[in-house]
Amino acid sequence: MRVMTWNILVGGQDRLGAILDVVRRERPDVLALQELKGWSAKRVGEVAGELGMTAHLAPSVFGQPVAVLARTALTRTRSITWRLHHAAAVATVGDLTVVSTHLNPFSPERRRREATWLAACFFRTRRKVLIAGDLNSLDPGTDHAEALAVIDQRYQRRHLTPAGTADTRAIRALLDAGFVDVGRGIGATVPTARYREREFGEFRLDYLMASPPLARLTRYVSVRRDEVTDRASDHYPVVASFSDETEQPAG
């Protein structure tokens, strides 16, 4: 199974054609999308149809919708709209539960609470679960001092603890619950070349957090950086493959 997660920046706008070209090129079996501003269930259904997929959209009360798309039928779908700043779209694809989500971009403490709640709600020791999306959190295994130092102070606050250190508590909450960060070491997912003057340092904000039964099947995880993804969003897409048999990375 090939999985892709991507924050496409305020609904894709005039970049949507390039975004869909990347998705067609990567051919994910499961696609988690975030920042679907202005998208309705009808709209995501139309886009899914163009891609040969089915979709479940979770609307957002305060932020932007998120979605799960898949090449096979989605079952037991669920939308979480009130516990999160943005939302979470939950769907079962075969024996896999996929949670596409986008955590609070502004408040480290609220982001920690969101991650803690998601971990308690969805972690399973014997089932395949994947939390995929823009978690807006720094990871606890990286030195973030240099990346934080280059951005404006007002944006630094989004990623600092009250003590002034890099805030990694959201990812730590998921790890402490038992999820595995299968993309550890893949490098930064923001900013892309087109958006380097925005609020990001060289951060990894997009994650694939897998339950142990799924994590054991990980074959590769990579960030897709090229001329198209450089301009398609302010985030790069993350692609992973999960398989019972050895598989070589594609590209």
Side-chain angles (χ1 to χ4, degrees):
M1 178 176 287
R2 192 170 171 86
V3 176
M4 180 175 177
T5 183
W6 202 359
N7 178 326
I8 65 170
L9 182 61
V10 292
Q13 300 177 334
D14 61 347
R15 298 164 282 103
L16 186 58
I19 290 165
L20 297 184
D21 284 346
V22 173
V23 175
R24 292 188 186 99
R25 180 188 74 193
E26 297 296 336
R27 290 195 56 79
D29 300 295
V30 175
L31 174 62
L33 293 178
Q34 302 86 45
E35 272 204 33
L36 303 181
K37 184 177 182 179
W39 286 39
S40 62
K42 179 181 178 182
R43 174 63 169 149
V44 76
E46 291 170 347
V47 170
E50 291 183 37
L51 296 170
M53 307 177 87
T54 56
H56 170 60
L57 179 81
S60 176
V61 175
F62 301 110
Q64 302 192 55
V66 298
V68 174
L69 290 76
R71 298 199 180 278
T72 57
L74 299 175
T75 59
R76 294 202 296 270
T77 59
R78 175 184 176 189
S79 297
I80 300 170
T81 60
W82 60 279
R83 294 295 301 249
L84 307 171
H85 175 81
H86 289 287
V90 186
T92 301
V93 184
D95 62 349
L96 172 67
T97 298
V98 182
V99 183
S100 174
T101 193
H102 187 181
L103 300 188
N104 193 297
F106 307 118
S107 168
E109 174 57 23
R110 291 181 181 179
R111 188 163 59 237
R112 180 197 66 79
R113 280 185 254 161
E114 290 177 342
T116 300
W117 183 83
L118 285 170
C121 189
F122 291 105
F123 181 75
R124 301 291 184 273
T125 57
R126 297 185 180 182
R127 295 183 183 178
K128 298 173 185 175
V129 180
L130 183 68
I131 295 180
D134 178 1
L135 303 189
N136 269 313
S137 178
L138 306 180
D139 70 273
T142 302
D143 183 353
H144 303 285
E146 184 175 343
L148 284 166
V150 301
I151 60 176
D152 188 278
Q153 189 173 22
R154 57 183 168 162
Y155 299 125
Q156 284 182 7
R157 290 196 293 268
R158 299 179 181 181
H159 300 288
L160 296 177
T161 66
T165 58
D167 186 85
T168 63
R169 292 176 295 166
I171 302 304
R172 175 53 62 192
L174 292 163
L175 294 173
D176 288 348
F179 280 98
V180 179
D181 178 6
V182 297
R184 183 176 179 181
I186 60 175
T189 61
V190 297
T192 59
R194 180 178 178 180
Y195 295 93
R196 289 195 176 276
E197 300 305 318
R198 290 168 65 89
E199 67 265 33
F200 299 125
E202 295 283 341
F203 298 146
R204 177 165 68 109
L205 299 182
D206 303 88
Y207 292 82
L208 296 170
M209 306 295 292
S211 63
L214 179 64
R216 288 192 287 269
L217 303 180
T218 307
R219 295 297 169 250
Y220 66 85
V221 183
S222 66
V223 183
R224 294 312 202 209
R225 304 181 186 93
D226 55 50
E227 291 183 358
V228 181
T229 59
D230 272 341
R231 64 179 185 272
S233 176
D234 57 347
H235 289 243
Y236 288 111
V238 178
V239 177
S241 178
F242 301 91
S243 174
D244 288 316
E245 299 180 359
T246 301
E247 183 177 346
Q248 296 299 316

